[in-house]
Amino acid sequence: MKILVCISNVPDTTSKITFTDNNTAFNNQGVQYIINPYDELALSKAIDLTNSGANGSITVITVGDSSTEATLRKALAIGADNAVRIDSRPLDAWYVANQIVEYAKDKNFDLILTGRESIDYNGGQLAGLLGDLLQIPSVSIVKGLNVINNEATIEREIEGGKEIIVTQLPVVIGAAEGIAEPKIANMRGIMGARTKPLDIIASTMVDPLTTIVTYEAPPVRGTVTLIEEDNIDELVSLLHHRAKVI
Amino acid sequence: MSVLIYIENTDGVLKKSAFEAASYGKEIADSLQCDTVAVSIGNVTTHELEKLGNYGVKKVINITNDDLKTFVNQAYAAVITDVATKENAQVIIFTNSFTAKGLAPRVASKLKAGFVSGAISIPVITENSFQVKRTAFSNKAIATVSIQSDIKVITINPNAFAAKEVEGHAEIVNFEPSLESKDFGTMVKEIIRNTDKISLPDAEIVISAGRGLKGPENWGMIEELAQLLEAATACSKPVSDAGWRPHSEHVGQTGIVISPNLYIAIGISGAIQHLAGVSSSKTIVVINKDPEAPFFKVADYGIVGDAFVIVPKLIAAIKAHQGN
Ligand SMILES: Cc1cc2nc3c(=O)[nH]c(=O)nc-3n(C[C@H](O)[C@H](O)[C@H](O)COP(=O)(O)OP(=O)(O)OC[C@H]3O[C@@H](n4cnc5c(N)ncnc54)[C@H](O)[C@@H]3O)c2cc1C
Ligand SMILES: Cc1cc2nc3c(=O)[nH]c(=O)nc-3n(C[C@H](O)[C@H](O)[C@H](O)COP(=O)(O)OP(=O)(O)OC[C@H]3O[C@@H](n4cnc5c(N)ncnc54)[C@H](O)[C@@H]3O)c2cc1C
């Protein structure tokens, strides 16, 4: 099985989020970058499906500048076979999807895995865009995946339950919690990652469809009203009369 | 020209979020001086669809085709794109449901439309710009996004916009889509629903508990409180990781992001990754025995104390309140 895993290079979940250039760009000063946690799940699933590479190959791909290579090396250390970096700033999701399609379209991947969303820009767009552009099925928010021969059985999250879907490969999957246990790199993996191929490919011309104009901090919440534990009626009354939520 | 709204139903009943999306679309249509058109796929009665008229929808394209009884992402996307083109839709609105998360990007791709998910404001539209706000960095920032394409696709979160009733009447038009077999690449084999539960992403009230509860056997009082308030239940990540609760209840940066009217957090410390998923809740109540717990910094109301004492008292107080 030939698998492509799309990797987004994102600020660590504890990062302080601030902006520069008059609030038009993310301030990456002192920020640690990690593999987007959902992409880590996707990669872990790919390793399970190929039985650690014995039954197939795993390519990881990112659209980003050279600073994303550390993250790609980490993916190689966890278990990918080779890495591809498309050398460009990710202008918007449409732009990124088209870059990945340009690379993937003639390579006959059986499975393309993305995360359900990136934890920085949170668009949740890539899986659907890739599916449409490649004219193959896509399933977003996938909690379970099983592949037998050429058929995938997919567990998709729905409101208040789940849906079991079957499809023939190839398919694009947006990985969510539950799809796999996250794997960590061991010493052998880290050593081996240094010599695995990491190809750098030039980007193709695509006009983005959206632009982030400015960032702002979310509104600050008021201070907390503390209520004594012997005075719970007051809480109920405040929720009813003041907050009007019960 | 029109604003098109994709309307979701559960077993033939329109979701509350459908009316929210209709009202959101109506505001955009007013500023573009055009009509709001809705598209519904599934077995929804005319009577049910006519309710949309009271939320500013002028026309409902009603699709009841048997082949579209269950969700088929590619086929639904093709049908909505077809309707959007016929109705000359300028803006297409979806609710940010699990289904729309798969559907909206495919529709956007077909129309080469710029797509903004999880919008939190009505777009600001001028002659040559279209800008809308959304959260980014997992609720830690708000981004203003400009959409450059002619056609725009927007999803809005459930509960983010109130539905507004207006005088009006919706004309229901039945539509027979032309379907292609290539769009039936997936097949739904089975739908498993937790029937007795309120769906978490749609819930107006959410009762959530963390590691402070010590073990899965102590969730009885959480479920009782949830039932009293017709609320959904949620949990922190370590709780679902430990298998105390299902993954579908895990909220936060790597779980479900919610914005209910009321979020009650019990025995949850308020780690930054947890807050990312719940900080846009309208009212937050925190119950924690540690007065220094970070969650109190973002709470509206707080009680410092032992959950095992406070929650039963809260249940009793709510019962007394509901008795009146
Ligand atoms: C350095 C930098 C600068 C940016 N500048 C801008 C800007 O000026 N204006 C603007 O509008 N946006 C900007 N972005 C945002 C960027 O366009 C999006 O991160 C990206 O296009 C994908 O959208 P998303 O994050 O919503 O992805 P989602 O659709 O949420 O991601 C889902 C999945 O797609 C895959 N994926 C996401 N991004 C990539 C990627 N880059 N390479 C490979 N796979 C990926 C991952 O598997 C991920 O889990 C910038 C991002 C970065 C990192
Ligand atoms: C990459 C990454 C992603 C993550 N994503 C998420 C996410 O999406 N969602 C998430 O929730 N977490 C996430 N986490 C984990 C997060 O950092 C915290 O570890 C987690 O939220 C803590 O869960 P908790 O509050 O239940 O437990 P704890 O932090 O252990 O807190 C338990 C709380 O209960 C209180 N308590 C104890 N006994 C009682 C009692 N009898 N009565 C009242 N209060 C009591 C304690 O004072 C304490 O504040 C993530 C972490 C990482 C690294």
Side-chain angles (χ1 to χ4, degrees):
Chain A
M1 195 170 352
K2 221 177 135 183
I3 305 180
L4 181 66
V5 183
C6 302
I7 301 284
S8 179
N9 177 56
V10 298
D12 174 23
T13 54
T14 55
S15 304
K16 214 166 161 51
I17 305 299
T18 59
F19 301 96
T20 57
D21 295 342
N22 212 3
N23 286 327
T24 58
F26 174 61
N27 179 7
N28 59 9
Q29 281 298 309
V31 170
Q32 289 275 5
Y33 279 84
I34 57 169
I35 303 179
N36 187 42
Y38 299 115
D39 306 354
E40 202 167 76
L41 296 179
L43 176 59
S44 303
K45 186 69 202 185
I47 294 168
D48 289 341
L49 287 171
T50 57
N51 194 9
S52 297
N55 304 321
S57 67
I58 304 167
T59 302
V60 287
I61 187 167
T62 197
V63 179
D65 65 19
S66 58
S67 70
T68 63
E69 287 185 12
T71 292
L72 286 177
R73 287 278 174 218
K74 212 158 119 199
L76 291 171
I78 295 172
D81 298 295
N82 66 304
V84 174
R85 178 171 72 81
I86 297 177
D87 185 25
S88 170
R89 211 176 71 136
L91 296 178
D92 77 346
W94 170 254
Y95 177 90
V96 169
N98 276 283
Q99 302 299 332
I100 295 173
V101 165
E102 193 55 34
Y103 171 79
K105 64 182 183 198
D106 51 7
K107 298 204 171 51
N108 295 316
F109 287 106
D110 299 300
L111 257 184
I112 298 182
L113 301 177
T114 74
R116 65 174 279 185
E117 68 181 55
S118 67
I119 64 163
D120 51 2
Y121 293 90
N122 310 112
Q125 305 200 17
L126 253 291
L129 292 177
L130 292 174
D132 189 68
L133 291 167
L134 291 165
Q135 302 188 334
I136 59 176
S138 59
V139 185
S140 303
I141 329 284
V142 171
K143 323 199 289 182
L145 170 65
N146 221 330
V147 180
I148 296 172
N149 297 325
N150 210 35
E151 187 177 88
T153 304
I154 298 160
E155 213 178 280
R156 173 174 89 91
E157 175 118 42
I158 58 172
E159 280 75 9
K162 59 186 176 184
E163 205 171 78
I164 313 294
I165 298 171
V166 288
T167 184
Q168 300 296 308
L169 301 182
V171 60
V172 185
I173 297 287
E177 282 263 307
I179 195 169
E181 288 297 323
K183 294 196 191 315
I184 41 175
N186 57 25
M187 207 51 198
R188 220 181 85 221
I190 294 167
M191 301 300 285
R194 294 191 198 151
T195 52
K196 286 180 180 172
L198 192 165
D199 296 326
I200 298 159
I201 296 179
S203 58
T204 42
M205 270 287 289
V206 176
D207 285 330
L209 302 175
T210 65
T211 313
I212 297 176
V213 189
T214 163
Y215 295 95
E216 59 197 280
V220 280
R221 303 187 77 99
T223 48
V224 57
T225 304
L226 284 179
I227 290 146
E228 290 302 319
E229 96 170 58
D230 298 326
N231 209 359
I232 301 235
D233 289 342
E234 187 193 335
L235 174 64
V236 174
S237 161
L238 284 168
L239 292 177
H240 182 66
H241 294 291
R242 205 205 288 169
K244 298 187 169 42
V245 287
I246 64 170
Chain B
M1 194 160 81
S2 70
V3 171
L4 184 70
I5 298 145
Y6 173 63
I7 295 297
E8 285 184 39
N9 71 85
T10 313
D11 302 329
V13 180
L14 295 186
K15 290 195 182 182
K16 178 174 145 271
S17 57
F19 301 106
E20 295 167 358
S23 293
Y24 184 85
K26 165 80 172 136
E27 283 212 35
I28 299 174
D30 284 349
S31 68
L32 291 173
Q33 296 179 317
C34 66
D35 282 342
T36 326
V37 178
V39 53
S40 163
I41 305 177
N43 252 327
V44 189
T45 62
T46 305
H47 174 73
E48 184 74 7
L49 290 174
E50 278 172 347
K51 292 179 185 165
L52 291 165
N54 297 333
Y55 296 86
V57 173
K58 274 276 177 341
K59 179 162 79 175
V60 183
I61 311 292
N62 184 25
I63 299 163
T64 55
N65 194 300
D66 269 352
D67 294 330
L68 300 174
K69 255 192 182 142
T70 54
F71 179 61
V72 188
N73 200 2
Q74 290 161 288
Y76 274 47
V79 169
I80 295 168
T81 303
D82 189 19
V83 171
T85 308
K86 288 201 170 77
E87 295 297 326
N88 189 17
Q90 208 66 25
V91 185
I92 304 163
I93 312 289
F94 294 81
T95 303
N96 203 2
S97 66
F98 288 121
T99 294
K101 281 176 204 270
L103 193 50
R106 289 196 83 113
V107 172
S109 173
K110 286 184 191 307
L111 294 165
K112 289 204 172 30
F115 170 31
V116 169
S117 61
I120 57 164
S121 72
I122 303 284
V124 175
I125 306 169
T126 64
E127 206 163 310
N128 44 24
S129 101
F130 187 107
Q131 297 190 352
V132 62
K133 290 188 184 201
R134 65 185 298 269
T135 54
F137 294 90
S138 304
N139 268 329
K140 291 175 216 163
I142 292 170
T144 301
V145 186
S146 148
I147 309 182
Q148 286 101 266
S149 53
D150 289 342
I151 303 175
K152 286 99 181 161
V153 173
I154 297 175
T155 63
I156 59 171
N157 292 335
N159 260 326
F161 296 91
K164 279 194 207 122
E165 281 202 56
V166 294
E167 285 286 309
H169 173 77
E171 174 200 0
I172 315 296
V173 180
N174 291 324
F175 178 69
E176 191 57 49
S178 55
L179 302 171
E180 294 184 62
S181 60
K182 71 167 172 59
D183 288 330
F184 286 80
T186 55
M187 193 193 79
V188 174
K189 220 167 93 179
E190 197 183 350
I191 297 174
I192 300 156
R193 273 191 221 283
N194 324 326
T195 40
D196 53 332
K197 286 261 174 70
I198 309 243
S199 144
L200 179 56
D202 298 328
E204 291 180 31
I205 302 181
V206 174
I207 314 295
S208 189
R211 212 145 51 173
L213 250 68
K214 313 281 189 277
E217 66 279 9
N218 295 324
W219 249 262
M221 62 181 186
I222 302 298
E223 285 182 342
E224 186 181 353
L225 182 57
Q227 213 165 19
L228 265 182
L229 292 172
E230 290 175 37
T233 47
C235 68
S236 65
K237 182 175 183 332
V239 163
S240 64
D241 283 349
W244 297 0
R245 303 294 294 176
H247 273 305
S248 55
E249 286 196 2
H250 156 200
V251 290
Q253 185 154 13
T254 51
I256 295 175
V257 176
I258 52 172
S259 51
N261 292 337
L262 174 60
Y263 184 74
I264 304 185
I266 302 164
I268 303 176
S269 56
I272 188 163
Q273 299 95 346
H274 184 86
L275 298 182
V278 303
S279 62
S280 61
S281 306
K282 294 198 181 74
T283 299
I284 296 178
V285 175
V286 169
I287 299 170
N288 195 305
K289 70 173 185 189
D290 174 10
E292 301 297 322
F295 221 141
F296 284 116
K297 293 206 176 70
V298 298
D300 298 289
Y301 304 100
I303 305 179
V304 179
D306 184 352
F308 294 98
V309 176
I310 293 168
V311 175
K313 281 190 186 173
L314 181 57
I315 290 172
I318 289 169
K319 279 186 179 158
H321 166 78
Q322 290 177 339
N324 292 330

